């Protein structure tokens, strides 16, 4: 079912398909950026701000 939906939205060359592609890229970039920012904090690997050694 998902394959049919993906084909219908992304591969038919319609205006809706173009909008879907344009919306998908920033959404994925935001999710990846948020994950990449939070991961060091969760693992305790962030730098301390200007502290001594």
């Amino acid at each position: 079912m998902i394959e049919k939906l993906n084909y219908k939205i992304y591969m038919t060359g319609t205006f809706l398909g173009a909008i879907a592609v344009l919306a998908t890229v920033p959404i994925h970039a935001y999710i990846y950026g948020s994950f990449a920012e939070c991961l060091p904090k969760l693992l305790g690997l962030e730098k301390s701000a200007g502290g001594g050694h």
Side-chain angles (χ1 to χ4, degrees), residues 27-41:
I27 290 169
H28 281 277
Y30 176 76
I31 292 169
Y32 176 77
S34 297
F35 176 75
E37 184 179 343
C38 291
L39 188 61
K41 291 178 185 176

Side-chain angles (χ1 to χ4, degrees), residues 4-23:
K4 289 180 184 179
L5 180 63
N6 283 338
Y7 181 80
K8 187 168 189 138
I9 292 175
Y10 292 108
M11 303 303 244
T12 55
T14 61
F15 182 72
L16 179 62
I19 296 298
V21 171
L22 290 174

